Amino acid sequence: MKVRAQQGFTLIELLIVVAIIGIIAAIAVPGLLRARMSGNEASAIGSLRAINSAESTFSSSCAQGAYAPSLVALGTPPAGGGQAFVSPDIATTASAATVAKSGYTVALTAGGTAAVAGVTACNGITPVNAGYQSNADPISSSTGTRHFATDSRGTIFQDNAAAIATPIPAAATPIQ
């Protein structure tokens, strides 16, 4: 009688390999999700820093010390030519008040401050405001857990539980 040589894998060997891959995936996935969430939060903080810088430039060079009332205003270049005050990924269209970026919703408001009368910005925006507040809130709990806000002081604040109120409360926690 002739014995045939074994070729291929047995079912048990294949099940062991699948189980090992499953265990490795179960260990790696939570770490990857935390890394993605951390990257989203870093992007939100970067967006708020860009808005602070754009508002500072807008105030000093375009609006006689006043601030832009919206992301649309910061995305509008000066009438004499040149670049807009924020990059196109943060600027919104006239119909949108917020922009979704890296799992966060970024918004810019007057921040509870009044409009400055009689001032028209160099890009034709009127009215301009005496201050501003910008918030970055996670779209879902899988994209981030912290809420961020900044205002004309230039400090970025965070809250782990809820969106930061307008105006930013005195007890708000600045990021480190």
Side-chain angles (χ1 to χ4, degrees):
M1 195 183 294
K2 199 172 190 184
V3 178
R4 189 173 156 197
Q6 265 189 332
Q7 291 182 343
F9 299 104
T10 65
L11 182 60
I12 298 296
E13 291 171 333
L14 290 174
L15 288 175
I16 290 171
V17 169
V18 168
I20 291 171
I21 291 171
I23 291 169
I24 291 171
I27 292 170
V29 167
L32 293 173
L33 291 176
R34 279 191 306 273
R36 187 181 94 190
M37 191 179 302
S38 178
N40 289 345
E41 290 177 352
S43 176
I45 292 169
S47 295
L48 292 181
R49 285 188 176 137
I51 289 171
N52 279 339
S53 177
E55 284 283 12
S56 176
T57 303
F58 182 86
S59 174
S60 64
S61 67
C62 187
Q64 302 171 18
Y67 296 98
S70 66
L71 292 173
V72 174
L74 287 177
T76 305
Q83 297 293 320
F85 297 94
V86 291
S87 62
D89 64 334
I90 299 174
T92 62
T93 62
S95 62
T98 63
V99 63
K101 184 175 180 232
S102 299
Y104 272 77
T105 300
V106 180
L108 177 64
T109 63
T113 60
V116 178
V119 175
T120 300
C122 66
N123 58 358
I125 300 299
T126 186
V128 291
N129 296 323
Y132 68 93
Q133 180 171 331
S134 185
N135 289 50
D137 298 308
I139 293 173
S140 71
S141 61
S142 66
T143 60
T145 56
R146 295 190 297 169
H147 299 262
F148 302 101
T150 188
D151 59 14
S152 51
R153 295 175 284 183
T155 303
I156 298 175
F157 298 91
Q158 71 173 0
D159 191 325
N160 293 333
I164 298 174
T166 301
I168 297 173
T173 307
I175 61 172
Q176 299 296 326

